[in-house]
Amino acid sequence: MLVVAIITIVLIAAVVISNMIVSRQSQGDLERTDCTSWAAADSPQASAPAINALNGEVALGQSLTDSNDITSHYHVFAHEIDRSEPVGLLVHLHGDGAAEFDSPNGFAACAANVAAQHNLITVIPHTPDTQQETWWHQLSVNQHWLNALVDQLITDYDLDAEKIWWSGYSGGAEMISYSLLHANPDIVTGGAIMFAGGGAPVDQDPTFEAHYQQTTPLYWVVGSNDDGTTSDDGFNAIRAVRRGSHWYEDQGFDNVHTEIVEGHDHYTLPKIDLIAEILNEQDV
């Protein structure tokens, strides 16, 4: 009987310890976001702190109404920022459908982890166009709201206005190339990264300042299989990237980069690894 009792106690203890280990592992999983949908599994960017682990340094669903009485919302990630140094900004414009905004514990958290390493807060706004959930259909309305958003962020977070970066995916990239880069260059003071989109503007004949053309890095990145056969709506991102990058080169921009990532389509581009690579390359 004594032997049986000892064995029983040992088994119970083993179960308790096992449950404690599983519980700790589960807690650890809750505190990390899996970023491997946008980064290689062996990448330093393969995971990021989850929102629940950031101790209130994330502000979700903030609201802004501009002077045209247009209201939309945005998420702010301001964790791991060194306030003793100049603080910059990365604004990411979501693709059609707003997936990056709707799931802030996914791509947004992963992008914010990379940006924080360069002392950039990250903001993920939702397009004011709530009917179509796109950035590029109502360019002037959306641009006016974005201008107001950046002004508000600079004030609220005491940001360095000379350190403002943009990234956009698909329809978000189209917004950057169609409007942002020439409608308000004052808020593109770091550079811009356009993923799987970023076509040439239509009916635009802007005059750019030479300093802006010479110093602003513009990146277009697309998968080698993103030719319209892999996207839901048939959007040929390779064609858009070529047309957009060539248009800005023709306007006199000196720092235009175009990269076709082999083996990737509209949905598999390793955007997080690419953001990290570009920010490192630019020594942000």
Side-chain angles (χ1 to χ4, degrees):
M1 291 294 293
L2 179 60
V3 172
V4 172
I6 292 173
I7 292 173
T8 301
I9 292 171
V10 169
L11 288 174
I12 291 172
V15 170
V16 170
I17 292 171
S18 176
N19 287 339
M20 289 175 62
I21 293 172
V22 169
S23 176
R24 288 174 182 172
Q25 288 175 337
S26 298
Q27 182 64 29
D29 292 341
L30 288 173
E31 293 178 354
R32 302 294 297 178
T33 289
D34 180 5
C35 301
T36 54
S37 292
W38 314 281
D42 59 352
S43 165
Q45 285 74 237
S47 69
I51 290 175
N52 68 296
L54 296 179
N55 300 320
E57 295 175 296
V58 175
L60 301 180
Q62 303 300 293
S63 179
L64 174 71
T65 301
D66 68 13
S67 60
N68 289 338
D69 205 29
I70 299 297
T71 300
S72 195
H73 301 86
Y74 58 98
H75 305 318
V76 181
F77 294 76
H79 59 292
E80 298 180 19
I81 296 298
D82 182 357
R83 292 288 176 182
S84 68
E85 298 290 336
V87 179
L89 171 66
L90 171 67
V91 183
H92 177 79
L93 303 184
H94 60 71
D96 296 357
E100 298 100 305
F101 179 88
D102 291 341
S103 301
N105 210 28
F107 173 88
C110 298
N113 182 53
V114 172
Q117 296 169 34
H118 299 272
N119 223 38
L120 307 175
I121 72 168
T122 298
V123 171
I124 314 290
H126 190 286
T127 174
D129 182 0
T130 55
Q131 291 188 335
Q132 299 181 88
E133 287 200 309
T134 66
W135 285 103
W136 55 276
H137 276 107
Q138 298 182 18
L139 291 177
S140 60
V141 172
N142 294 338
Q143 183 64 62
H144 188 271
W145 186 85
L146 284 174
N147 296 345
L149 173 64
V150 172
D151 287 345
Q152 187 67 50
L153 291 168
I154 290 173
T155 300
D156 289 349
Y157 291 91
D158 192 22
L159 300 179
D160 181 354
E162 299 303 313
K163 198 177 178 182
I164 302 174
W165 276 82
W166 296 78
S167 67
Y169 166 62
S170 192
E174 301 285 275
M175 177 68 195
I176 293 174
S177 64
Y178 285 177
S179 180
L180 177 67
L181 293 178
H182 57 79
N184 196 354
D186 290 345
I187 60 174
V188 190
T189 55
I193 309 167
M194 287 152 280
F195 295 114
V202 178
D203 299 327
Q204 295 290 341
D205 186 23
T207 300
F208 297 105
E209 292 186 2
H211 179 74
Y212 179 58
Q213 293 171 304
Q214 293 164 3
T215 61
T216 307
L218 304 178
Y219 288 83
W220 279 262
V221 188
V222 66
S224 62
N225 299 327
D226 200 353
D227 58 1
T229 61
T230 62
S231 61
D232 292 338
D233 58 2
F235 174 60
N236 188 329
I238 293 177
R239 182 170 59 199
V241 161
R242 286 175 174 159
R243 289 178 175 176
S245 59
H246 290 162
W247 189 89
Y248 280 91
E249 285 180 324
D250 290 344
Q251 298 300 312
F253 281 79
D254 296 334
N255 205 349
V256 171
H257 308 259
T258 305
E259 181 178 355
I260 297 179
V261 184
E262 200 62 38
H264 288 277
D265 62 25
H266 201 66
Y267 306 104
T268 65
L269 206 58
K271 297 189 289 292
I272 295 301
D273 277 342
L274 289 161
I275 291 173
E277 176 186 318
I278 290 167
L279 293 181
N280 285 332
E281 181 178 298
Q282 291 296 324
D283 195 25
V284 176

